[in-house]
Amino acid sequence: MSRTTYFVDVILPLSVPNLYTYRVPFEWNESIAIGKRVVVQFGRGKLYSALIRRIHENPPKQYVAKYIDSILDDTPIVNQKQFELWDWMSSYYMCTIGEVMIAALPGGLRLSSETKILLNQNYKEQSASIELSDKEYLIVDALEIRQVLTLTDISGIIEQKIVYPIIKSLIEKGVVVLQEELKEKFKPKIESYVRITDFADNEENLKTIFDALERKAPKQLDVVMAYITLSKRYSQERVEVRKSDILKMVDGAEAALKSLVKKNTFEMYEREVGRLASFENENKISNLNEEQQKVLESINLQFSGKANLDGESKKIVSNENSLSLGEGRGEVDVVLLHGVTSSGKTEIYVKLIEQAIAEGKQVLYLLPEIALTTQIINRLRKYFGEAVGVYHSKFNENERVEVWNNVLNLKSDISNFKLVIGARSALFLPFSNLGLVIVDEEHDTSFKQYDPAPRYNARDAAIYLAHIHKAKTLLGSATPSLESYFNAQEGKYGFAEMTKRFGGIQMPEILIADVKEATRKKMMKSHFSPLLLDTVTLALEKKEQVILFQNRRGFAPQLECNMCAWVPQCANCDVSLTYHKLSNQLRCHYCGYSIKPPTKCAACGDTDLKMKGFGTEKIEEELSIFYPKARIARMDLDTTRSKFAHQHIIQDFEEGNIDILVGTQMVTKGLDFDNVSMVGILNADSMLNFPDFRSFERSYQLMAQVSGRAGRKNKRGKVIIQSQNPEHSIIQEVIANDFLSMYTNQLLDRKNFNYPPYFRLIEITVIHKDVDMVNASAKFLADALKKHFAKRVLGPEFPLVSRIRNLFHKNILLKVERDASVGQVKKIVSELLVKFKSTSDYKSVRVNIDVDPM
């Protein structure tokens, strides 16, 4: 055993800026390793599971290092490449490494701590000499009966809220001890199996058993027959039989199984099984058409450095504070694939995945929405079967740990996933040999994590992850973000383009319904124009399917008094309440606060209350009036809360069990339905008029994406856009499918007003329950920033929704030139924030930092 005194620097699952150092007992010197979890005491007796980041022999100078309490893992659960990603995210997004750890590790690998009180084993020997108060006697009596009590239990026993002084007294007297019990959240799934005993496995003995059971125990005979069928006893390869399968085949089999075990016919055993569904390869990968083949060759040439990109290609280099893009010759690490909707981008992805897997590499396929994940999973599992893993937030903790362990390949009997499909959290998985990262629908705002920290963009983090692994990144979209397209045009990324739909299908015909004119002529029927209703009717008559897009869920955005214009407001947030008819509630979409709809105005008392606006729930209801025989479904946050809800809705729509699908932006993203001939956009103006510098870009993206769902197989589709301003430039660019025109116009505005991609943005939000404190602290911080950055600082200003969950928010926006030293800027901001937080007046103020806000 080594007698060297080792110390470990650990990452704690807390928002603390620094790593914390602990001492390693000599007997564990050989067991410690970077990436293992250890239990440590931090603060006043609290235990945490922390991750070893560094091992060294230098004791801390500012404090005496405590010993680690235990080691939780036999092998590391986090590898060095993951730590590199975490370090970069902590630096780039200006958050603590502990916050990154919380975001990265699945909940099942983080431990919960619960304080428990036990009797000291030595107490009975010394009890005669220890004097106890009445309340202390009550606690001791309860502990002798129940052995273990929590602080909550003790509070109830002595009928006293504050119990710490009494517990402290009992500890000092040696009567009780505290136990911080760390519970491992992940529990392997254990399945019960049935197998035939050696005695019954003999054919002569089995015949005797058959004869006896046939006369006296027919139910047991049914169980034996079910076992023989399930085990394929008389085929070449026997299979293991799960107890649950026998119980499904034979009613009341539980008692019969127990009897057969007693008779030495069967024996039961248990083993750990995976929770994840298994799939077999069903399809061979299809051949590409001419355009797809050319694009694939172009991407491979750019990745290999053999393509001629204007004589100069540029590649990603990293520094500690940013993804800087430096000049250099040779291969390109990132390629942007701009392909119109239904051009066959997924087939390109499949070929690239096949190439990477053939080279023994892992592949990460990132998607913005779980709804989209469902359909892509089914397609890719047909090609790659068991090699495909899935990882997203709808998985429970145990399933996520299983995927983590599978990618890490902790268990030799579980095959390692070669392709992982998932939403943004999938980039944190413990890849060891990543060769390709695909970011599909790379423009999508769902890739951005807004709360809590780290407030990262999964697209940008995925590019850096690929850089760490020396892997390639493919960004794909029919409507790329301005930043990505700009990088491609500047030569920082490679570029490939697909301008034709697969199979020669024409782009959809896009028509505008002038809602303002139709309203003037009194031709509107509720929220539907005559053009939209006629087109829906024609599609249904042809047995074709329809998608209607409204980017607002609920029944109506607000309830309003017709007399005085009073609108019910959330008690916790500065927003009006949205009416949900199914639950008959007015609900806040920020904090979840809800009330029953009032019968009269709270201001003037009048009973004339009207619903204003419309959401997906109202569209769904009104469509059933116009089309009583149509099968109508809704896909939004309210209908997809359960684990498999996305999958069931998409499957029903694919199988033709739904005629009209009403949805929010969930229906816009990459879904591929053969029989959709018509798409309706019900309120284009709400997107265009949103007060944000990206609103025109996002409106174009949403309308172009949802339009792309129409006419994807065999025939041209039709799109109806309802608007009060049909001549709007963005609507005209959507009709013309003119991405380049939208890009050029928006780029000019961004350059004139100092927005990305020409400037970087850092948004600082000051938060407190007292609005006066928010105003004073925001002004103090903004003034300090302006001393360093002058006119680059905008604000402070209240956002559109200034109060959320009874906390007031105020924003300060910092604009930094693209060629400025971002690392130096962040250093100055960090130092100012330390001074700000150390100011006694503002200690209670919370500050959020969002680098590259979207």
Side-chain angles (χ1 to χ4, degrees):
M1 182 192 300
S2 169
R3 300 299 293 177
T4 306
T5 301
Y6 285 121
F7 294 87
V8 290
D9 294 342
V10 302
I11 304 172
L12 289 156
L14 300 168
S15 181
V16 290
N18 301 330
L19 302 180
Y20 209 73
T21 304
Y22 289 85
R23 187 172 173 177
V24 180
F26 292 128
E27 62 268 24
W28 290 345
N29 279 2
E30 307 301 324
S31 302
I32 55 169
I34 292 172
K36 283 188 177 183
R37 291 174 301 163
V38 291
V39 177
V40 296
Q41 184 181 340
F42 186 76
R44 296 189 176 182
K46 271 285 184 184
L47 293 183
Y48 293 93
S49 62
L51 274 168
I52 298 176
R53 184 66 183 91
R54 281 191 288 271
I55 302 171
H56 55 84
E57 299 175 26
N58 306 314
K61 295 177 181 177
Q62 293 80 11
Y63 54 92
V64 177
K66 300 173 186 174
Y67 282 97
I68 60 174
D69 279 30
S70 62
I71 301 172
L72 291 173
D73 304 304
D74 295 328
T75 56
I77 65 161
V78 175
N79 61 41
Q80 188 60 40
K81 287 182 168 64
Q82 285 174 282
F83 281 133
E84 285 184 52
L85 177 67
W86 293 13
D87 289 341
W88 174 79
M89 290 183 76
S90 173
S91 172
Y92 186 81
Y93 292 107
M94 300 181 72
C95 62
T96 67
I97 193 74
E99 288 171 322
V100 180
M101 173 185 169
I102 293 168
L105 282 184
L109 291 177
R110 299 195 303 269
L111 303 179
S112 59
S113 179
E114 183 181 349
T115 302
K116 299 204 171 186
I117 293 93
L118 298 84
L119 271 179
N120 190 333
Q121 292 180 349
N122 300 323
Y123 164 65
K124 288 187 179 180
E125 299 172 7
Q126 304 168 5
S127 58
S129 60
I130 298 175
E131 291 185 9
L132 300 178
S133 68
D134 291 343
K135 288 183 178 178
E136 289 173 344
Y137 266 120
L138 284 173
I139 295 170
V140 170
D141 286 343
L143 281 170
E144 286 178 338
I145 296 168
R146 293 167 57 180
Q147 277 78 52
V148 179
L149 293 173
T150 65
L151 295 180
T152 307
D153 295 334
I154 291 171
S155 181
I157 289 166
I158 64 174
E159 299 179 347
Q160 182 174 314
K161 195 170 184 180
I162 300 173
V163 297
Y164 288 99
I166 298 174
I167 298 301
K168 183 182 177 187
S169 171
L170 287 170
I171 292 169
E172 289 171 351
K173 292 173 182 177
V175 177
V176 301
V177 292
L178 292 186
Q179 179 194 40
E180 283 286 353
E181 183 175 273
L182 283 164
K183 293 183 177 178
E184 187 83 59
K185 289 183 179 177
F186 172 63
K187 293 180 180 177
K189 185 177 180 181
I190 304 297
E191 190 87 61
S192 293
Y193 283 78
V194 178
R195 64 185 167 212
I196 198 165
T197 62
D198 292 340
F199 168 76
D201 203 19
N202 179 283
E203 282 299 320
E204 289 186 10
N205 293 341
L206 188 58
K207 186 177 184 305
T208 305
I209 292 168
F210 263 98
D211 294 340
L213 295 179
E214 192 172 17
R215 293 194 308 272
K216 297 180 180 179
K219 180 67 73 175
Q220 293 177 30
L221 180 62
D222 291 343
V223 170
V224 174
M225 292 300 295
Y227 173 84
I228 288 171
T229 303
L230 291 168
S231 66
K232 299 182 181 179
R233 176 177 174 80
Y234 296 108
S235 65
Q236 289 184 344
E237 290 186 12
R238 292 190 187 185
V239 296
E240 290 183 288
V241 177
R242 293 184 298 183
K243 177 183 174 182
S244 58
D245 290 339
I246 292 178
L247 297 180
K248 286 177 188 174
M249 283 187 69
V250 182
D251 291 335
E254 184 78 55
L257 263 174
K258 288 180 181 177
S259 297
L260 288 166
V261 170
K262 288 179 182 177
K263 291 177 179 177
N264 197 28
T265 302
F266 288 144
E267 59 187 12
M268 310 290 292
Y269 66 102
E270 293 181 338
R271 70 177 179 86
E272 182 182 336
V273 296
R275 290 177 171 80
L276 310 173
S278 60
F279 290 80
E280 295 180 0
N281 301 44
E282 295 177 12
N283 290 9
K284 290 183 178 179
I285 296 173
S286 56
N287 294 324
L288 305 181
N289 64 23
E290 186 179 350
E291 185 185 36
Q292 288 173 321
Q293 189 60 43
K294 286 181 179 177
V295 167
L296 177 64
E297 289 171 3
S298 170
I299 293 169
N300 280 325
L301 286 171
Q302 292 178 68
F303 279 154
S304 65
K306 296 176 182 176
N308 181 19
L309 298 174
D310 301 326
E312 181 88 35
S313 67
K314 300 182 181 181
K315 65 186 292 184
I316 290 184
V317 297
S318 67
N319 64 37
E320 61 181 2
N321 283 308
S322 69
L323 271 182
S324 67
L325 293 148
E327 292 189 7
R329 294 186 178 275
E331 61 193 50
V332 174
D333 291 333
V334 185
V335 171
L336 174 65
L337 173 57
H338 178 207
V340 298
T341 54
S342 199
S343 58
K345 293 187 290 295
T346 305
E347 281 68 31
I348 304 283
Y349 302 157
V350 167
K351 287 289 186 182
L352 290 167
I353 293 166
E354 185 186 30
Q355 292 170 11
I357 290 175
E359 293 171 4
K361 301 284 189 179
Q362 295 169 303
V363 180
L364 172 61
Y365 190 136
L366 284 181
L367 291 154
E369 290 273 6
I370 297 167
L372 187 54
T373 308
T374 300
Q375 198 176 45
I376 293 294
I377 290 163
N378 293 335
R379 291 174 69 177
L380 293 181
R381 273 184 167 156
K382 288 178 180 177
Y383 297 127
F384 302 108
E386 293 285 353
V388 179
V390 185
Y391 192 80
H392 55 62
S393 60
K394 284 292 172 77
F395 277 18
N396 64 42
E397 288 183 355
N398 288 329
E399 288 170 328
R400 296 180 77 164
V401 171
E402 283 196 19
V403 178
W404 184 283
N405 288 344
N406 201 312
V407 175
L408 189 64
N409 202 15
L410 283 177
K411 297 184 179 179
S412 58
D413 61 327
I414 298 179
S415 61
N416 195 17
F417 288 141
K418 296 177 179 66
L419 166 62
V420 175
I421 308 169
R424 60 176 181 256
S425 58
L427 67 87
F428 291 114
L429 287 166
F431 298 101
S432 55
N433 189 26
L434 199 59
L436 175 67
V437 176
I438 296 170
V439 185
D440 200 7
E441 309 295 344
E442 64 84 28
H443 67 278
D444 201 283
T445 55
S446 296
F447 280 126
K448 174 70 175 180
Q449 160 92 2
Y450 291 99
D451 268 313
R455 294 172 180 85
Y456 66 98
N457 188 315
R459 175 197 63 206
D460 299 338
I463 291 172
Y464 193 81
L465 174 69
H467 163 73
I468 291 169
H469 285 265
K470 296 182 172 54
K472 305 301 180 185
T473 305
L474 182 68
L475 309 178
S477 177
T479 53
S481 64
L482 258 67
E483 288 87 340
S484 293
Y485 201 80
F486 179 81
N487 285 336
Q489 296 302 307
E490 292 287 297
K492 295 175 181 177
Y493 294 171
F495 184 70
E497 192 165 33
M498 301 171 73
T499 57
K500 298 175 184 174
R501 283 186 145 193
F502 187 83
I505 304 298
Q506 288 181 286
M507 294 298 290
E509 178 188 7
I510 301 178
L511 304 173
I512 302 298
D514 190 336
V515 174
K516 190 174 183 180
E517 184 67 13
T519 304
R520 186 182 70 80
K521 293 180 178 179
K522 298 183 178 178
M523 297 172 66
M524 290 292 290
K525 294 182 179 179
S526 183
H527 306 290
F528 308 106
S529 63
L531 177 59
L532 186 132
L533 287 175
D534 290 346
T535 311
V536 171
T537 302
L538 185 63
L540 294 177
E541 286 174 353
K542 294 180 177 179
K543 306 294 182 186
E544 295 167 343
Q545 291 171 300
V546 173
I547 291 176
L548 296 181
F549 168 63
Q550 166 63 2
N551 205 23
R552 184 183 286 274
R553 63 189 172 99
F555 189 83
Q558 63 188 43
L559 192 69
E560 185 177 294
C561 174
N562 224 26
M563 187 65 68
C564 71
W566 170 81
V567 175
Q569 298 286 312
C570 175
N572 309 313
C573 312
D574 282 341
V575 290
S576 59
L577 297 173
T578 301
Y579 178 59
H580 289 252
K581 187 167 185 178
L582 185 64
S583 58
N584 191 33
Q585 286 183 330
L586 289 169
R587 194 180 303 156
C588 174
H589 287 175
Y590 283 84
C591 72
Y593 171 82
S594 64
I595 59 171
K596 288 290 182 184
T599 55
K600 63 179 183 179
C601 174
C604 70
D606 196 79
T607 57
D608 188 11
L609 303 176
K610 300 288 186 185
M611 299 290 178
K612 297 287 185 179
F614 60 99
T616 50
E617 194 178 11
K618 189 174 185 182
I619 298 299
E620 181 186 26
E621 181 185 271
E622 294 191 347
L623 282 171
S624 64
I625 299 171
F626 290 109
Y627 304 103
K629 294 183 180 179
R631 295 162 296 178
I632 303 166
R634 175 164 50 99
M635 188 160 77
D636 56 25
L637 188 62
D638 296 322
T639 62
T640 56
R641 292 186 189 278
S642 63
K643 182 174 180 179
F644 297 110
H646 289 104
Q647 191 171 326
H648 292 155
I649 294 171
I650 290 169
Q651 186 174 338
D652 280 346
F653 198 60
E654 282 180 327
E655 293 174 356
N657 300 324
I658 297 170
D659 299 315
I660 304 175
L661 181 62
V662 182
T664 55
Q665 55 185 301
M666 287 182 183
V667 302
T668 69
K669 301 171 183 178
L671 296 172
D672 187 1
F673 301 112
D674 294 355
N675 197 36
V676 174
S677 65
M678 183 262 170
V679 166
I681 299 170
L682 298 176
N683 188 5
D685 305 308
S686 65
M687 298 181 283
L688 291 165
N689 297 330
F690 194 78
D692 180 77
F693 77 93
R694 296 185 194 271
S695 62
F696 284 6
E697 175 192 4
R698 287 183 180 157
S699 297
Y700 179 92
Q701 289 167 342
L702 278 170
M703 285 190 273
Q705 289 283 347
V706 76
S707 299
R709 305 313 112 210
R712 296 173 70 85
K713 296 283 171 72
N714 304 324
K715 60 174 291 184
R716 191 182 190 192
K718 188 171 285 188
V719 178
I720 308 298
I721 299 176
Q722 292 191 162
S723 172
Q724 302 214 25
N725 185 10
E727 299 303 317
H728 196 288
S729 61
I730 291 294
I731 292 177
Q732 293 302 314
E733 285 158 358
V734 171
I735 293 171
N737 190 34
D738 192 351
F739 174 84
L740 201 56
S741 175
M742 184 279 294
Y743 167 77
T744 305
N745 293 333
Q746 291 306 301
L747 207 61
L748 182 61
D749 285 346
R750 302 280 182 91
K751 190 171 187 178
N752 290 336
F753 296 102
N754 299 342
Y755 281 105
Y758 298 101
F759 275 67
R760 294 181 186 273
L761 303 182
I762 300 175
E763 186 176 70
I764 302 168
T765 304
V766 176
I767 304 168
H768 198 270
K769 61 184 178 182
D770 183 354
V771 67
D772 294 330
M773 177 64 80
V774 166
N775 285 327
S777 58
K779 184 179 184 306
F780 178 90
L781 186 54
D783 289 345
L785 287 165
K786 285 173 182 175
K787 289 177 182 177
H788 291 273
F789 302 111
K791 293 182 180 179
R792 296 181 185 86
V793 180
L794 298 184
E797 292 288 342
F798 284 112
L800 277 175
V801 181
S802 58
R803 182 173 61 105
I804 300 172
R805 294 183 175 91
N806 282 322
L807 293 172
F808 291 91
H809 296 61
K810 207 163 191 181
N811 295 338
I812 302 166
L813 189 65
L814 177 59
K815 295 181 176 181
V816 183
E817 294 87 347
R818 191 48 94 157
D819 56 358
S821 170
V822 181
Q824 187 62 28
V825 169
K826 290 176 182 176
K827 183 181 178 184
I828 294 169
V829 171
S830 296
E831 289 171 353
L832 288 175
L833 287 175
V834 169
K835 290 180 182 177
F836 172 80
K837 291 296 288 184
S838 62
T839 304
S840 58
D841 292 345
Y842 305 130
K843 281 187 181 296
S844 61
V845 176
R846 197 168 95 217
V847 180
N848 287 348
I849 301 178
D850 191 355
V851 178
D852 300 338
M854 290 183 72

